[in-house]
Amino acid sequence: MTATPPRLIRSVRLLDAAEARIRSEFTAPPPPDTAMDTPTAIALANEFKPFAMVVTHTAPLRKPDIAKLPDSVKLVATVSVGLDHLDVPALLERGIAVSNTPDVLTDCNADLAMMLVLAASRRAAEYFTLVKTTGWTKPLGMADMLGHRVSGKRLGIVGMGRIGQALARRARGFDMDILYHNRRRLDAAEEAGATYYATLEDMLPHCDIVSLHMPGNASAPPIINAQTLALLPRGSVLVNAARGSLVDEDALIDALQSGQLSGAGLDVYRHEPNPNPRLVALPNLFTTPHMGSATVETRTAMCMLALDNVAALAAGRPMPSPVTA
Protein backbone atom coordinates (compact mmCIF):
# COMPACT_ATOMS: atom_id res chain seq x y z
CA MET A 1 0.00 0.00 0.00
CA THR A 2 1.08 3.59 -0.52
CA ALA A 3 1.72 5.90 2.44
CA THR A 4 -1.53 7.68 1.63
CA PRO A 5 -4.50 5.33 1.40
CA PRO A 6 -5.74 5.09 -2.21
CA ARG A 7 -8.92 6.99 -2.93
CA LEU A 8 -11.77 5.00 -4.39
CA ILE A 9 -15.46 5.15 -5.02
CA ARG A 10 -17.83 2.21 -5.53
CA SER A 11 -21.07 2.21 -7.47
CA VAL A 12 -22.71 -0.27 -5.08
CA ARG A 13 -22.39 -1.15 -1.44
CA LEU A 14 -20.04 -4.12 -1.22
CA LEU A 15 -20.33 -7.02 1.20
CA ASP A 16 -19.61 -6.33 4.86
CA ALA A 17 -16.08 -7.75 4.92
CA ALA A 18 -15.13 -5.63 1.90
CA GLU A 19 -16.70 -2.50 3.39
CA ALA A 20 -14.69 -3.07 6.57
CA ARG A 21 -11.53 -3.36 4.48
CA ILE A 22 -12.36 -0.12 2.65
CA ARG A 23 -12.68 1.71 5.97
CA SER A 24 -9.31 0.29 7.07
CA GLU A 25 -7.20 0.54 3.92
CA PHE A 26 -8.72 3.14 1.57
CA THR A 27 -10.12 6.64 1.51
CA ALA A 28 -13.69 6.55 0.26
CA PRO A 29 -17.03 8.25 0.66
CA PRO A 30 -19.80 6.32 2.43
CA PRO A 31 -21.25 3.43 0.44
CA PRO A 32 -24.34 4.24 -1.59
CA ASP A 33 -27.72 3.18 -0.23
CA THR A 34 -28.78 2.05 -3.70
CA ALA A 35 -26.77 1.08 -6.76
CA MET A 36 -25.54 4.08 -8.72
CA ASP A 37 -26.28 4.58 -12.36
CA THR A 38 -23.63 5.91 -14.74
CA PRO A 39 -24.35 9.67 -14.42
CA THR A 40 -24.32 9.42 -10.63
CA ALA A 41 -21.03 7.51 -10.60
CA ILE A 42 -19.43 10.00 -12.99
CA ALA A 43 -20.63 12.93 -10.91
CA LEU A 44 -19.17 11.37 -7.75
CA ALA A 45 -15.89 10.66 -9.54
CA ASN A 46 -15.56 14.30 -10.56
CA GLU A 47 -16.38 15.45 -7.05
CA PHE A 48 -14.19 12.98 -5.12
CA LYS A 49 -11.32 12.58 -7.63
CA PRO A 50 -10.66 8.89 -6.89
CA PHE A 51 -7.69 6.79 -7.95
CA ALA A 52 -10.05 3.87 -8.66
CA MET A 53 -13.70 3.23 -9.42
CA VAL A 54 -15.15 -0.08 -8.25
CA VAL A 55 -18.22 -0.76 -10.39
CA THR A 56 -20.76 -3.35 -11.46
CA HIS A 57 -23.15 -3.62 -14.39
CA THR A 58 -25.43 -0.97 -12.85
CA ALA A 59 -22.97 1.74 -13.89
CA PRO A 60 -21.85 0.88 -17.44
CA LEU A 61 -19.06 3.00 -18.88
CA ARG A 62 -19.11 3.62 -22.63
CA LYS A 63 -16.75 5.84 -24.58
CA PRO A 64 -18.73 9.08 -24.05
CA ASP A 65 -18.91 8.33 -20.31
CA ILE A 66 -15.20 7.58 -20.10
CA ALA A 67 -14.41 10.97 -21.63
CA LYS A 68 -16.16 12.60 -18.66
CA LEU A 69 -14.03 10.89 -15.99
CA PRO A 70 -11.46 12.99 -14.14
CA ASP A 71 -7.76 12.44 -14.80
CA SER A 72 -7.37 11.10 -11.26
CA VAL A 73 -9.01 7.80 -12.25
CA LYS A 74 -6.32 5.23 -13.03
CA LEU A 75 -8.34 2.03 -12.60
CA VAL A 76 -11.86 0.77 -13.18
CA ALA A 77 -12.24 -2.44 -11.19
CA THR A 78 -15.41 -4.32 -12.03
CA VAL A 79 -16.83 -6.78 -9.52
CA SER A 80 -17.64 -9.30 -12.23
CA VAL A 81 -16.04 -11.54 -14.79
CA GLY A 82 -18.14 -10.16 -17.62
CA LEU A 83 -17.08 -6.92 -19.27
CA ASP A 84 -20.21 -6.20 -21.33
CA HIS A 85 -20.83 -3.01 -19.37
CA LEU A 86 -17.36 -1.55 -20.00
CA ASP A 87 -15.78 -0.17 -23.16
CA VAL A 88 -12.42 -1.72 -22.37
CA PRO A 89 -10.55 -0.36 -25.43
CA ALA A 90 -11.75 3.16 -24.67
CA LEU A 91 -10.65 2.86 -21.04
CA LEU A 92 -7.22 1.53 -21.97
CA GLU A 93 -6.84 4.21 -24.65
CA ARG A 94 -7.53 6.82 -21.98
CA GLY A 95 -4.76 5.28 -19.86
CA ILE A 96 -7.18 3.80 -17.33
CA ALA A 97 -6.41 0.24 -16.28
CA VAL A 98 -9.19 -2.34 -16.04
CA SER A 99 -9.56 -5.37 -13.78
CA ASN A 100 -12.23 -8.00 -13.29
CA THR A 101 -12.85 -10.92 -10.91
CA PRO A 102 -12.35 -14.27 -12.68
CA ASP A 103 -11.79 -17.66 -11.04
CA VAL A 104 -13.39 -16.87 -7.67
CA LEU A 105 -16.90 -17.33 -9.04
CA THR A 106 -16.24 -20.41 -11.18
CA ASP A 107 -17.54 -22.99 -8.73
CA CYS A 108 -20.72 -21.13 -7.81
CA ASN A 109 -21.59 -20.50 -11.45
CA ALA A 110 -21.01 -24.15 -12.26
CA ASP A 111 -23.13 -25.19 -9.26
CA LEU A 112 -26.00 -23.03 -10.49
CA ALA A 113 -25.67 -24.36 -14.05
CA MET A 114 -25.87 -27.91 -12.71
CA MET A 115 -28.94 -26.90 -10.73
CA LEU A 116 -30.53 -25.60 -13.94
CA VAL A 117 -29.68 -28.85 -15.73
CA LEU A 118 -31.36 -30.88 -13.01
CA ALA A 119 -34.33 -28.56 -12.52
CA ALA A 120 -35.14 -28.25 -16.23
CA SER A 121 -34.78 -31.97 -16.81
CA ARG A 122 -36.84 -32.98 -13.76
CA ARG A 123 -39.62 -30.37 -14.28
CA ALA A 124 -38.85 -28.59 -11.02
CA ALA A 125 -40.78 -25.45 -11.96
CA GLU A 126 -43.94 -27.45 -12.57
CA TYR A 127 -43.54 -29.45 -9.38
CA PHE A 128 -43.00 -26.27 -7.36
CA THR A 129 -46.07 -24.66 -8.90
CA LEU A 130 -48.20 -27.73 -8.22
CA VAL A 131 -47.33 -27.91 -4.53
CA LYS A 132 -46.93 -24.23 -3.64
CA THR A 133 -49.38 -22.42 -5.92
CA THR A 134 -51.89 -24.54 -7.79
CA GLY A 135 -52.50 -26.99 -4.98
CA TRP A 136 -51.56 -30.66 -4.94
CA THR A 137 -54.96 -32.12 -4.16
CA LYS A 138 -54.83 -35.63 -5.60
CA PRO A 139 -52.19 -38.31 -6.11
CA LEU A 140 -50.29 -38.27 -9.36
CA GLY A 141 -50.66 -41.24 -11.68
CA MET A 142 -47.83 -43.47 -12.83
CA ALA A 143 -47.39 -41.52 -16.07
CA ASP A 144 -48.17 -38.02 -14.78
CA MET A 145 -45.63 -35.17 -14.94
CA LEU A 146 -42.66 -37.34 -15.79
CA GLY A 147 -39.31 -35.67 -16.22
CA HIS A 148 -36.07 -37.03 -17.62
CA ARG A 149 -33.13 -38.30 -15.62
CA VAL A 150 -29.79 -36.67 -16.28
CA SER A 151 -27.70 -39.70 -15.36
CA GLY A 152 -26.07 -41.15 -18.45
CA LYS A 153 -27.27 -38.35 -20.72
CA ARG A 154 -25.15 -36.49 -23.27
CA LEU A 155 -24.30 -32.98 -22.10
CA GLY A 156 -23.10 -30.53 -24.74
CA ILE A 157 -21.14 -27.59 -23.32
CA VAL A 158 -20.76 -24.51 -25.49
CA GLY A 159 -17.68 -22.67 -24.26
CA MET A 160 -15.23 -24.87 -22.37
CA GLY A 161 -13.50 -22.25 -20.26
CA ARG A 162 -13.22 -22.28 -16.48
CA ILE A 163 -16.96 -22.54 -15.83
CA GLY A 164 -17.61 -24.99 -18.66
CA GLN A 165 -14.88 -27.29 -17.35
CA ALA A 166 -16.21 -26.97 -13.79
CA LEU A 167 -19.69 -27.95 -15.02
CA ALA A 168 -18.18 -30.94 -16.82
CA ARG A 169 -16.59 -32.12 -13.57
CA ARG A 170 -19.95 -31.96 -11.83
CA ALA A 171 -21.76 -33.67 -14.69
CA ARG A 172 -19.31 -36.58 -14.60
CA GLY A 173 -20.63 -37.25 -11.10
CA PHE A 174 -23.92 -38.06 -12.81
CA ASP A 175 -22.18 -40.33 -15.32
CA MET A 176 -22.98 -37.92 -18.13
CA ASP A 177 -21.13 -38.07 -21.44
CA ILE A 178 -19.46 -34.71 -22.04
CA LEU A 179 -19.40 -33.13 -25.50
CA TYR A 180 -18.11 -29.65 -26.11
CA HIS A 181 -17.69 -26.92 -28.70
CA ASN A 182 -15.03 -24.30 -28.10
CA ARG A 183 -12.93 -21.83 -30.08
CA ARG A 184 -9.99 -24.19 -29.61
CA ARG A 185 -9.65 -27.80 -28.66
CA LEU A 186 -8.42 -28.33 -25.12
CA ASP A 187 -5.38 -30.39 -24.32
CA ALA A 188 -5.96 -33.95 -23.17
CA ALA A 189 -5.73 -33.16 -19.46
CA GLU A 190 -8.30 -30.36 -19.68
CA GLU A 191 -10.50 -32.41 -21.98
CA ALA A 192 -10.64 -35.29 -19.49
CA GLY A 193 -12.31 -37.59 -22.00
CA ALA A 194 -14.81 -35.09 -23.38
CA THR A 195 -15.57 -35.21 -27.10
CA TYR A 196 -14.66 -32.09 -29.10
CA TYR A 197 -16.73 -30.69 -31.97
CA ALA A 198 -15.25 -27.97 -34.13
CA THR A 199 -18.68 -26.55 -34.96
CA LEU A 200 -21.81 -26.08 -32.90
CA GLU A 201 -23.91 -27.47 -35.72
CA ASP A 202 -21.99 -30.75 -35.67
CA MET A 203 -22.39 -31.16 -31.91
CA LEU A 204 -26.06 -30.33 -31.39
CA PRO A 205 -27.60 -33.47 -32.97
CA HIS A 206 -25.73 -35.57 -30.38
CA CYS A 207 -26.88 -33.64 -27.28
CA ASP A 208 -29.63 -34.45 -24.81
CA ILE A 209 -28.83 -31.29 -22.84
CA VAL A 210 -26.96 -28.17 -23.98
CA SER A 211 -25.44 -25.65 -21.57
CA LEU A 212 -24.06 -22.28 -22.70
CA HIS A 213 -20.87 -20.90 -21.14
CA MET A 214 -19.41 -18.38 -23.58
CA PRO A 215 -19.24 -14.58 -23.60
CA GLY A 216 -22.15 -12.67 -25.03
CA ASN A 217 -22.18 -9.90 -27.60
CA ALA A 218 -25.36 -7.86 -27.86
CA SER A 219 -24.43 -6.76 -31.39
CA ALA A 220 -23.88 -10.31 -32.68
CA PRO A 221 -26.70 -12.63 -33.76
CA PRO A 222 -27.68 -15.23 -31.15
CA ILE A 223 -26.04 -18.62 -31.56
CA ILE A 224 -29.18 -20.39 -30.34
CA ASN A 225 -31.90 -19.71 -32.89
CA ALA A 226 -34.59 -21.60 -34.78
CA GLN A 227 -32.02 -23.31 -37.00
CA THR A 228 -29.73 -24.50 -34.22
CA LEU A 229 -32.62 -25.54 -31.98
CA ALA A 230 -33.96 -27.68 -34.83
CA LEU A 231 -30.67 -29.61 -34.86
CA LEU A 232 -31.22 -30.90 -31.32
CA PRO A 233 -32.98 -34.23 -30.75
CA ARG A 234 -36.65 -33.65 -29.95
CA GLY A 235 -37.24 -33.33 -26.21
CA SER A 236 -33.80 -31.92 -25.40
CA VAL A 237 -33.05 -29.39 -22.66
CA LEU A 238 -31.34 -25.99 -22.99
CA VAL A 239 -29.52 -24.26 -20.13
CA ASN A 240 -28.14 -20.73 -20.26
CA ALA A 241 -26.20 -19.32 -17.31
CA ALA A 242 -23.91 -17.21 -19.51
CA ARG A 243 -25.47 -14.27 -21.38
CA GLY A 244 -29.01 -13.62 -22.59
CA SER A 245 -27.78 -12.32 -25.94
CA LEU A 246 -26.78 -15.87 -26.90
CA VAL A 247 -30.41 -16.98 -27.34
CA ASP A 248 -33.18 -15.93 -29.71
CA GLU A 249 -36.00 -15.93 -27.17
CA ASP A 250 -38.79 -16.06 -29.76
CA ALA A 251 -37.25 -19.23 -31.16
CA LEU A 252 -36.84 -20.57 -27.63
CA ILE A 253 -40.52 -19.95 -26.88
CA ASP A 254 -41.51 -21.80 -30.05
CA ALA A 255 -39.26 -24.73 -29.17
CA LEU A 256 -40.63 -25.00 -25.63
CA GLN A 257 -44.22 -24.79 -26.84
CA SER A 258 -43.78 -27.30 -29.65
CA GLY A 259 -41.94 -29.90 -27.57
CA GLN A 260 -38.73 -29.57 -29.55
CA LEU A 261 -37.35 -28.72 -26.12
CA SER A 262 -38.85 -30.53 -23.16
CA GLY A 263 -37.55 -27.84 -20.85
CA ALA A 264 -35.08 -25.03 -20.34
CA GLY A 265 -33.22 -23.51 -17.41
CA LEU A 266 -32.27 -19.83 -17.62
CA ASP A 267 -30.35 -17.55 -15.32
CA VAL A 268 -29.95 -14.83 -17.96
CA TYR A 269 -32.24 -13.07 -20.43
CA ARG A 270 -32.05 -10.69 -23.35
CA HIS A 271 -33.77 -8.00 -21.31
CA GLU A 272 -32.84 -7.75 -17.64
CA PRO A 273 -34.31 -7.18 -15.13
CA ASN A 274 -37.55 -7.37 -17.13
CA PRO A 275 -37.49 -10.64 -19.11
CA ASN A 276 -40.00 -11.43 -21.83
CA PRO A 277 -43.29 -12.23 -20.03
CA ARG A 278 -44.25 -14.76 -22.73
CA LEU A 279 -41.07 -16.66 -21.97
CA VAL A 280 -41.23 -16.68 -18.18
CA ALA A 281 -44.91 -17.72 -18.26
CA LEU A 282 -44.06 -21.06 -19.86
CA PRO A 283 -44.55 -23.94 -17.41
CA ASN A 284 -41.53 -25.89 -18.68
CA LEU A 285 -39.07 -23.07 -18.04
CA PHE A 286 -37.10 -23.02 -14.78
CA THR A 287 -35.84 -19.51 -14.06
CA THR A 288 -33.44 -17.73 -11.72
CA PRO A 289 -32.75 -13.95 -11.71
CA HIS A 290 -29.09 -13.80 -12.90
CA MET A 291 -27.71 -15.21 -9.64
CA GLY A 292 -24.81 -17.38 -10.77
CA SER A 293 -22.31 -15.90 -8.32
CA ALA A 294 -24.84 -15.16 -5.58
CA THR A 295 -23.37 -16.79 -2.50
CA VAL A 296 -21.87 -15.06 0.49
CA GLU A 297 -18.55 -16.78 -0.09
CA THR A 298 -18.26 -15.94 -3.78
CA ARG A 299 -19.54 -12.37 -3.67
CA THR A 300 -17.19 -11.63 -0.78
CA ALA A 301 -14.26 -13.09 -2.73
CA MET A 302 -15.23 -11.01 -5.78
CA CYS A 303 -15.31 -7.80 -3.74
CA MET A 304 -11.97 -8.63 -2.13
CA LEU A 305 -10.34 -9.38 -5.48
CA ALA A 306 -11.52 -6.03 -6.84
CA LEU A 307 -9.92 -4.32 -3.83
CA ASP A 308 -6.76 -6.41 -4.26
CA ASN A 309 -6.46 -4.95 -7.76
CA VAL A 310 -6.86 -1.40 -6.46
CA ALA A 311 -4.27 -1.94 -3.73
CA ALA A 312 -1.78 -3.55 -6.11
CA LEU A 313 -1.94 -0.85 -8.78
CA ALA A 314 -1.73 1.91 -6.18
CA ALA A 315 1.41 0.30 -4.75
CA GLY A 316 2.98 -0.17 -8.18
CA ARG A 317 2.62 -3.96 -8.10
CA PRO A 318 1.13 -6.15 -10.85
CA MET A 319 -2.61 -6.50 -10.47
CA PRO A 320 -3.83 -10.05 -9.78
CA SER A 321 -6.51 -9.95 -12.47
CA PRO A 322 -5.90 -7.23 -15.08
CA VAL A 323 -7.88 -6.97 -18.31
CA THR A 324 -5.51 -6.21 -21.16
CA ALA A 325 -7.70 -6.12 -24.25
Side-chain angles (χ1 to χ4, degrees):
M1 298 289 291
T2 58
T4 303
R7 297 172 69 84
L8 68 78
I9 63 172
R10 64 282 208 204
S11 65
V12 297
R13 183 184 182 91
L14 304 182
L15 270 72
D16 287 349
E19 288 294 338
R21 181 179 175 187
I22 288 173
R23 291 192 296 272
S24 173
E25 299 180 19
F26 301 89
T27 299
D33 293 328
T34 58
M36 293 182 188
D37 60 12
T38 301
T40 305
I42 291 173
L44 180 60
N46 279 283
E47 174 188 349
F48 192 75
K49 301 294 193 293
F51 172 81
M53 297 176 66
V54 177
V55 303
T56 69
H57 68 281
T58 67
L61 294 172
R62 309 301 179 197
K63 190 167 186 175
D65 308 313
I66 294 162
K68 299 174 184 176
L69 296 177
D71 291 339
S72 64
V73 175
K74 303 302 180 185
L75 170 64
V76 170
T78 181
V79 189
S80 66
V81 174
L83 299 163
D84 304 11
H85 54 297
L86 299 180
D87 187 335
V88 174
L91 284 164
L92 298 178
E93 182 180 355
R94 175 87 192 270
I96 298 173
V98 181
S99 68
N100 65 345
T101 58
D103 298 326
V104 294
L105 48 65
T106 295
D107 284 333
C108 278
N109 273 273
D111 288 349
L112 184 127
M114 194 69 219
M115 181 183 81
L116 295 177
V117 167
L118 290 163
S121 300
R122 292 298 303 271
R123 301 177 69 166
E126 294 167 88
Y127 297 163
F128 179 91
T129 299
L130 177 66
V131 176
K132 296 279 284 187
T133 305
T134 306
W136 182 28
T137 58
K138 61 180 181 179
L140 295 172
M142 182 67 70
D144 291 341
M145 297 188 74
L146 302 184
H148 293 278
R149 70 179 188 182
V150 302
S151 301
K153 291 296 194 297
R154 301 167 298 176
L155 172 64
I157 298 176
V158 184
M160 200 64 149
R162 298 180 186 91
I163 297 172
Q165 291 177 50
L167 175 62
R169 291 193 294 273
R170 287 153 176 75
R172 289 187 185 99
F174 289 85
D175 295 322
M176 300 182 79
D177 290 331
I178 309 301
L179 322 176
Y180 76 99
H181 166 62
N182 202 45
R183 287 179 296 181
R184 64 171 182 87
R185 183 167 185 173
L186 305 181
D187 61 37
E190 292 174 315
E191 213 169 55
T195 302
Y196 173 67
Y197 288 85
T199 71
L200 178 65
E201 291 76 10
D202 286 341
M203 183 183 76
L204 291 178
H206 304 283
C207 299
D208 301 304
I209 303 165
V210 174
S211 190
L212 307 181
H213 297 282
M214 60 181 287
N217 184 345
S219 63
I223 64 166
I224 299 299
N225 52 40
Q227 292 71 38
T228 50
L229 287 168
L231 295 173
L232 287 165
R234 185 170 178 82
S236 300
V237 165
L238 175 72
V239 164
N240 186 10
R243 286 291 182 266
S245 59
L246 298 173
V247 177
D248 178 335
E249 291 183 349
D250 289 331
L252 176 58
I253 291 169
D254 290 344
L256 287 167
Q257 290 177 329
S258 71
Q260 174 61 16
L261 291 178
S262 63
L266 302 182
D267 186 48
V268 292
Y269 313 86
R270 293 193 73 85
H271 301 288
E272 298 181 12
N274 298 294
N276 186 335
R278 291 179 54 233
L279 177 63
V280 297
L282 294 175
N284 52 345
L285 176 70
F286 184 87
T287 60
T288 53
H290 203 151
M291 301 297 280
S293 64
T295 65
V296 172
E297 298 87 351
T298 292
R299 290 280 174 88
T300 299
M302 292 168 66
C303 294
M304 290 300 195
L305 180 53
L307 297 179
D308 289 345
N309 280 292
V310 177
L313 189 65
R317 302 191 307 268
M319 291 190 294
S321 56
V323 176
T324 57

